[in-house]
Amino acid sequence: MSDIEIACAAIIIACLTEKKKEKRKRKQRIWMKEWLKKRVEFGHDRLVSELKLSSIVDYKNYLRMDADTFGELLEMVTPLIEKNTTVMRTPISAEQRLLATLRYLVSGDSFEELKFQTAIAAQTLGRIIVETCQCLVHVLKGCIKDIKIKLFKNSLILFIIKKIINL
């Protein structure tokens, strides 16, 4: 065998024995589930809007407050919980954040259960609810003192009335 034939044979053997490096196809990660992208269609804010117009009693039962109180609370909390719109996506509105938080506090549902009502991912709900509760505490600090005083006065009055009735 000539040198050329030996070199060619070596190259052929090397090519046959060398494993081709195949690119592994990664499972494509989903940024957001399709049905969650349709939050406007499936979210509970539409239900709340309908309840506000058609059934005040059901609205109050759903959020445990009337529409005016919700509006005042939203106005106080919005500057703290509102997020900026970016090129990547539109943020969850302050109203949706407050609705989700109130619904969580009212119902006691898990984040997994609540995600179907709100069309917001469970992990996102966990973050939103904690942030919103912190903002609610911050905003309502002054009101809580007044409520404690009123409750104390009311319970004192009730105590006095009960004593008078029992005499």
Side-chain angles (χ1 to χ4, degrees):
M1 277 188 157
S2 70
D3 289 342
I4 296 175
E5 290 174 342
I6 293 173
C8 287
I11 292 173
I12 291 172
I13 292 172
C15 288
L16 290 175
T17 57
E18 185 179 318
K19 293 181 181 178
K20 287 188 175 181
K21 292 181 182 179
E22 293 180 22
K23 288 186 180 179
R24 290 184 184 174
K25 287 188 177 180
R26 278 194 198 179
K27 187 177 177 182
Q28 187 176 7
R29 293 182 65 186
I30 299 172
W31 185 263
M32 187 179 213
K33 293 180 180 177
E34 286 302 315
W35 70 274
L36 290 174
K37 289 179 184 177
K38 300 176 183 176
R39 182 177 299 120
V40 176
E41 291 177 46
F42 300 125
H44 65 141
D45 47 335
R46 278 188 160 182
L47 171 65
V48 172
S49 299
E50 182 61 32
L51 289 175
K52 190 178 190 179
L53 297 173
S54 64
S55 178
I56 297 169
V57 174
D58 288 337
Y59 180 91
K60 194 168 185 176
N61 188 35
Y62 190 74
L63 291 177
R64 304 293 195 267
M65 64 178 65
D66 60 14
D68 294 336
T69 305
F70 178 79
E72 290 175 21
L73 194 58
L74 180 63
E75 194 175 300
M76 291 191 298
V77 172
T78 296
L80 300 173
I81 63 173
E82 193 172 45
K83 303 297 179 188
N84 296 328
T85 303
T86 65
V87 177
M88 297 293 283
R89 72 185 75 84
T90 57
I92 298 169
S93 70
E95 182 180 13
Q96 288 174 325
R97 289 168 175 271
L98 184 58
L99 283 172
T101 302
L102 292 175
R103 194 66 202 137
Y104 172 76
L105 294 172
V106 165
S107 68
D109 290 343
S110 68
F111 297 151
E112 280 296 319
E113 293 170 4
L114 199 58
K115 84 175 177 186
F116 295 110
Q117 295 175 27
T118 60
I120 300 171
Q123 296 86 351
T124 307
L125 279 170
R127 215 171 37 251
I128 285 173
I129 289 169
V130 169
E131 287 174 5
T132 307
C133 283
Q134 289 171 344
C135 293
L136 285 170
V137 168
H138 177 73
V139 166
L140 296 175
K141 262 186 185 166
C143 299
I144 293 171
K145 290 177 186 174
D146 295 340
I147 291 170
K148 283 182 183 175
I149 291 169
K150 287 179 185 176
L151 287 174
F152 175 74
K153 286 180 181 177
N154 289 341
S155 60
L156 185 61
I157 291 169
L158 286 173
F159 177 75
I160 293 169
I161 291 171
K162 285 180 184 177
K163 286 294 184 184
I164 292 172
I165 292 173
N166 289 335
L167 289 176

